[in-house]
Amino acid sequence: MNNNDLTEILIRAVEEADSSDRLLDAVQELAAAGIQEAVPTLIAALGYNNPGAAVAAVDGLIAIGEVAVPPLLELIDDYNYGARAWAIRALAGIGDVRALDTLLEAAKNDFSLSVRRAAARGLGTLRWHQVPSEKLESVQTQVLEALLLISQDPEWVVRYAAVTSLETLAVAVAVTSPDQALRITNQLQQMLDTDADLGVRTRVKFAQEKIQQQEHQEQHQEVFAPKRKLQDTEVSELPYRGGGRR
């Protein structure tokens, strides 16, 4: 049996499933296959009234990655809110910058706290190498402004997600945009001092520690890199004395 035959069998199993359990099993098997041809069927599964199958489909789409982004973005305008919410979760997990506007809108304005949380986490997984260098700072500023707003969300799970993304953004901009990094540091400290939820404050302290570790590591590299380079030069300039004893 070749790959095409296997793909066809797995897709047909999803389409012909006659119970919720069989649908769940079929979607899980299709998602585990990790094949691009499965994208339309996995996206269709997002709209079924089967949360387990939707979770499996989301995991499969995330594993497949970037090729799933365009059809997922097309689904966002669909009338089916449930499918749209699952699609946002998939886009957040993939981290493709083409989904930036969708994630920003969902994180700030969606009525579902679970969708806002997923979108907020997605803003911390964006693949910055996809952004042209001349646009990188402005895009990161846009994300930062959104996260500063989201960190004031009335739901603690959304604020928690915002903290995780502020942490990753702080690491990303530490060298290139120290002003942005400082704004993040200040926001985290404010949340540590004022947030009403212990879980959020605990996550803030963890984020602060990770950011400080990254800063110390970079400082260490800056201090010792020139010395290592000098030592390498000194060794390379030593005259060759021959190998081994005579």
Side-chain angles (χ1 to χ4, degrees), residues 3-246:
N3 290 337
N4 290 335
D5 292 337
L6 176 61
T7 300
E8 185 176 344
I9 291 172
L10 293 174
I11 290 175
R12 189 184 308 121
V14 173
E15 296 172 343
E16 296 179 355
D18 56 4
S19 70
S20 60
D21 289 341
R22 289 183 178 178
L23 176 62
L24 173 58
D25 292 341
V27 173
Q28 287 176 334
E29 291 184 8
L30 181 60
I35 47 181
Q36 294 184 14
E37 293 79 7
V39 168
T41 305
L42 291 175
I43 289 178
L46 301 179
Y48 300 155
N49 187 23
N50 188 318
V55 170
V58 167
D59 291 342
L61 291 165
I62 292 173
I64 292 171
E66 296 179 6
V67 297
V69 172
L72 280 168
L73 289 174
E74 292 177 4
L75 179 65
I76 294 302
D77 294 328
D78 192 274
Y79 70 92
N80 185 331
Y81 174 79
R84 177 179 177 276
W86 288 115
I88 289 172
R89 290 179 173 87
L91 290 169
I94 295 171
D96 193 293
V97 296
R98 288 174 291 181
L100 175 60
D101 291 341
T102 296
L103 294 177
L104 287 171
E105 175 65 21
K108 292 187 290 187
N109 299 317
D110 200 281
F111 70 85
S112 168
L113 69 89
S114 63
V115 173
R116 296 201 306 277
R117 176 182 61 181
R121 288 181 64 86
L123 293 175
T125 62
L126 292 171
R127 301 177 182 182
W128 295 117
H129 67 274
Q130 296 177 333
V131 182
S133 58
E134 67 274 11
K135 296 182 179 180
L136 182 60
E137 184 175 357
S138 64
V139 173
Q140 288 177 332
T141 299
Q142 186 181 12
V143 171
L144 174 56
E145 295 293 346
L147 289 174
L148 294 177
L149 177 64
I150 299 163
S151 65
Q152 303 173 49
D153 192 280
E155 299 290 345
W156 75 269
V157 292
V158 181
R159 300 197 303 276
Y160 189 104
V163 172
T164 66
S165 292
L166 284 169
E167 175 195 320
T168 57
L169 182 59
V171 172
V173 304
V175 175
T176 58
S177 302
D179 291 342
Q180 292 184 358
L182 180 59
R183 293 183 67 190
I184 295 172
T185 300
N186 291 340
Q187 178 65 22
L188 291 175
Q189 185 59 48
Q190 180 181 345
M191 294 180 73
L192 181 62
D193 294 338
T194 63
D195 198 282
D197 188 85
L198 176 60
V200 173
R201 297 197 304 272
T202 301
R203 186 61 181 82
V204 168
K205 291 183 68 175
F206 179 80
Q208 290 175 324
E209 292 171 359
K210 297 296 289 186
I211 293 170
Q212 289 173 357
Q213 289 175 5
Q214 181 68 22
E215 291 175 349
H216 292 160
Q217 181 178 353
E218 291 172 352
Q219 291 172 357
H220 180 82
Q221 291 174 344
E222 290 176 359
V223 169
F224 289 96
K227 184 176 181 180
R228 286 198 298 270
K229 184 176 181 180
L230 178 60
Q231 290 173 341
D232 292 343
T233 302
E234 291 172 348
V235 170
S236 66
E237 291 177 353
L238 289 174
Y240 177 69
R241 299 180 183 273
R245 294 182 179 179
R246 293 184 179 180

